[in-house]
Amino acid sequence: MDDFTWGLVQIVGVHTILGLSAYVILLTGQVSMAQAGFVAIGAYVAGMLTVLAEWHIIPSMITGGLAAAVLACIVGFPALRVRGLMLVVATIAFGEFVRLFWFNFDYRIAKGDIIVGPEGGEGFKQIRFFPENGWTTQDVAAFIWIVAAIILATLWWMDRSRAGKVLRAVGEDEMAAQSVGINLTVVKVSAFTAGGFIAGIAGALYAHYTTHIEHLNFDILMATFAIAYPILGGLANVWGTLFAAIFIQVIVIEVLRDLGDVRNLMFGALIILVMNFLPRGLFSAQVVRKLREWTGLGKTSDA
């Protein structure tokens, strides 16, 4: 494959992680538009650690995720006291606050013959850990998908554990969940924190494969992508989010590139159609059950 194709593989991997960050929150029935803000935090923190402090990508990425998780936890307590439209508005406001913070953030130091670091509206350039350490485009793509696979596997395991059942119970009926002793605030804030951590990881990877970030990268469109993937794919399991990210980024964004702005209309129309005719997503529990029956994978559980 050429570099363009490997670049597309990288994009799909990062967007899959982005979608999974919203998937965790949506399981509790909450719609958050703050994911772009958490991505920005992870991107800038990890970028500053590799560029200014000369850390390795892995501890930088984890620290960026933790920074986003801490802020998500702090924001989660007041934000999740509201529901529905008010939660959407509150999280949009938070995302814009983070974006404007980085727009005004300026911290640059001399590194050899050049000045590096975030430069407000000019963005953060020279995030060159991968090329400086000899990583090829294929190496970067493989690394991104290893991280994505770890997150996918973790959430897949969580879905089948007690934690996943608790999240789904809160999302399906808060009153019933509270009646059996589930602390709604703890569950929602925990999901919000986990979603922030995963979004921070996505941001760290995004910053390092693009090598140049700026505040405009983390706008409402990125937040829309984040919640669109699990909504389109469905919340029956994590694989729906994965397939939705591949479909949107490969088919709608790249294959149909010649259609120009018409793609935006198609993207919006697709979401509307799915929400009206397939409210549980393209890969709902019923669809997954039928696929298992057709492929014979469900026979073992029936025995």
Side-chain angles (χ1 to χ4, degrees):
M1 294 191 293
D2 57 17
D3 284 346
F4 173 81
T5 305
W6 282 114
L8 181 58
V9 172
Q10 295 173 7
I11 293 172
V12 174
V14 170
H15 275 257
T16 297
I17 299 173
L18 174 64
L20 292 173
S21 74
Y23 171 86
V24 180
I25 300 173
L26 284 170
L27 285 180
T28 64
Q30 308 300 305
V31 178
S32 169
M33 297 294 287
Q35 299 312 101
F38 299 137
V39 172
I41 293 169
Y44 275 89
V45 170
M48 286 189 288
L49 288 175
T50 57
V51 174
L52 306 182
E54 298 186 351
W55 283 23
H56 190 274
I57 181 62
I58 294 179
S60 300
M61 177 181 67
I62 294 173
T63 304
L66 289 174
V70 169
L71 195 57
C73 183
I74 294 172
V75 172
F77 279 99
L80 295 180
R81 292 182 182 275
V82 297
R83 300 181 58 188
L85 181 60
M86 291 305 296
L87 176 60
V88 173
V89 173
T91 50
I92 288 176
F94 167 77
E96 283 299 291
F97 168 80
V98 173
R99 187 179 67 81
L100 292 175
F101 171 83
W102 294 119
F103 173 70
N104 292 282
F105 185 79
D106 193 326
Y107 181 74
R108 291 161 60 76
I109 64 172
K111 186 177 179 183
D113 297 330
I114 60 174
I115 305 296
V116 295
E119 191 182 3
E122 295 297 319
F124 188 176
K125 306 172 185 178
Q126 300 293 332
I127 307 176
R128 301 185 58 79
F129 176 86
F130 291 139
E132 287 178 354
N133 288 275
W135 290 45
T136 65
T137 309
Q138 297 93 318
D139 294 334
V140 176
F143 179 69
I144 290 174
W145 275 100
I146 288 172
V147 175
I150 291 172
I151 296 173
L152 277 164
T154 302
L155 294 183
W156 179 84
W157 170 82
M158 181 205 71
D159 262 348
R160 284 151 180 76
S161 69
R162 184 178 182 276
K165 292 181 175 61
V166 170
L167 292 177
R168 292 182 183 278
V170 172
E172 290 173 4
D173 192 329
E174 289 188 5
M175 293 293 291
Q178 195 168 26
S179 68
V180 296
I182 295 176
N183 188 316
L184 299 182
T185 300
V186 170
V187 173
K188 290 181 179 180
V189 172
S190 297
F192 210 71
T193 302
F197 176 77
I198 297 171
I201 294 291
L205 294 171
Y206 176 79
H208 285 83
Y209 89 76
T210 59
T211 72
H212 177 197
I213 55 175
E214 57 185 58
H215 71 287
L216 292 174
N217 298 137
F218 310 103
D219 58 6
I220 192 68
L221 180 61
M222 177 176 282
T224 303
F225 274 126
I227 63 170
Y229 298 136
I231 287 176
L232 291 176
L235 300 177
N237 54 63
V238 295
W239 310 115
T241 299
L242 169 63
F243 291 130
I246 294 173
F247 176 77
I248 294 298
Q249 289 299 319
V250 176
I251 305 300
V252 177
I253 303 298
E254 290 300 332
V255 175
L256 302 179
R257 178 175 291 276
D258 291 340
L259 295 181
D261 292 339
V262 175
R263 294 174 301 168
N264 296 331
L265 297 176
M266 294 177 61
F267 179 57
L270 180 61
I271 294 177
I272 293 172
L273 288 172
V274 169
M275 292 181 69
N276 279 277
F277 298 102
L278 294 170
R280 295 187 179 274
L282 298 174
F283 293 90
S284 63
Q286 292 82 358
V287 172
V288 172
R289 191 179 304 115
K290 290 181 180 180
L291 288 173
R292 292 181 63 186
E293 291 174 356
W294 292 340
T295 58
L297 296 177
K299 293 181 180 179
T300 302
S301 61
D302 295 336

